[in-house]
Amino acid sequence: VVHYLIEEIASSGIEEIVLITGPDRSQNLFQEYIDQEIKSSYKINFSFRTQRTPLGMLDALKHAPHDEAAAVLVGDDLLISSPPPLKKVIETFHRTQKPTIGLLKIPKEMAKYYGMAEVKKENKELKIINLIEKPQKLEDVPSDLSIFGRYIITPEIFSIIRKMDVETGREIFLPDAFQIYLQDGGTIYGQELKGDRFDAGSKAGLIKAQIYFGLKDKDLKHEILEFISYKLHLMNKTAQKRTKKRKLK
């Protein structure tokens, strides 16, 4: 997942990445991985910061540089599109010079699993007027646009994040900081994205992503297709045997 995010970042024109890791061996593992697998392929400068305690995404962002706009990518969200989703979000930021959030249409029935955005058209842009985290009632769903894990945050958003208490025991999300910014009179825009989405934060979503990328790899495609075909054949034979037994009974 990290590799695909780095590909997206590089394809979007960014040349500096800050990786924020937990207080364990992960920084060494990432450092070794990037030195061996990444640096030779991409002209990107990498730096590392470490959280003393794993208190979530907002605490991680407190360890990031705060003096200029930055892109934030959530590894749970993978989107296959051309141009890359982050590049589209960056283009909107360049036009508006305001914090920008990636948005993706979903069925409203799925809204209870995602943060959702209420928007209005302003010229050709989508101006965000409200953000609702995982609305549980269908009547509370403001639109069919979910928050997708691609953000451009500005120093003003960083300032809000630094003041937020992340040790309350309640999970605080990055859109919570955006919502405070909205309530303080700030302006945020959204960029609707399109493509094949994978929720790599779930087991099924991660497996689907692995199958998708495996089938796109010419060296793996044939072997994976053979394996899937063989397993489907076995499953069909088992189902036929069970059906035959039920008929005999």
Side-chain angles (χ1 to χ4, degrees), residues 79-86 88 193-196 212:
L79 188 71
I80 314 306
S81 67
S82 182
L86 179 60
K88 296 278 289 181
L193 305 169
K194 296 179 181 179
D196 293 320
Y212 177 90

Side-chain angles (χ1 to χ4, degrees), residues 49-181:
R49 308 285 175 91
T50 302
Q51 288 176 283
R52 291 186 297 273
T53 307
L55 292 172
M57 184 175 178
L58 285 189
D59 180 68
L61 289 172
K62 289 184 178 186
H63 295 73
H66 301 131
D67 56 348
E68 60 182 327
V72 178
L73 290 84
V74 178
D76 288 356
D77 283 329
L78 290 176
L79 188 71
I80 314 306
S81 67
S82 182
L86 179 60
K87 188 171 185 178
K88 296 278 289 181
V89 176
I90 290 172
E91 288 170 353
T92 299
F93 169 73
H94 284 320
R95 289 195 303 270
T96 63
Q97 292 299 300
K98 298 292 182 183
T100 308
I101 299 175
L103 304 173
L104 196 69
K105 279 188 177 180
I106 62 168
K108 286 190 175 182
E109 294 74 20
M110 299 293 293
K112 60 185 177 182
Y113 302 112
Y114 299 95
M116 303 299 293
E118 183 178 356
V119 302
K120 70 174 183 179
K121 275 285 187 71
E122 188 180 81
N123 298 323
K124 293 183 179 181
E125 307 294 348
L126 290 175
K127 185 177 181 179
I128 294 176
I129 57 176
N130 193 20
L131 297 168
I132 301 175
E133 182 62 33
K134 299 178 182 178
Q136 296 303 299
K137 295 180 180 179
L138 199 57
E139 58 265 29
D140 294 334
V141 179
S143 73
D144 59 355
L145 291 171
S146 68
I147 298 170
F148 184 76
R150 302 293 182 272
Y151 308 89
I152 304 296
I153 57 179
T154 58
E156 294 84 1
I157 301 290
F158 274 122
S159 179
I160 292 169
I161 291 171
R162 289 199 301 273
K163 296 173 185 175
M164 295 179 77
D165 183 3
V166 297
E167 300 187 40
T168 60
R170 178 182 75 85
E171 186 173 5
I172 302 175
F173 301 92
L174 180 53
D176 293 328
F178 279 97
Q179 186 70 350
I180 292 172
Y181 181 69

Side-chain angles (χ1 to χ4, degrees), residues 226-244:
E226 274 193 344
F227 174 77
I228 292 172
S229 298
Y230 174 67
K231 287 298 181 182
L232 286 174
H233 174 69
L234 290 182
M235 289 169 65
N236 288 332
K237 284 184 70 175
T238 301
Q240 289 170 4
K241 286 180 181 178
R242 287 175 180 168
T243 302
K244 189 175 182 180

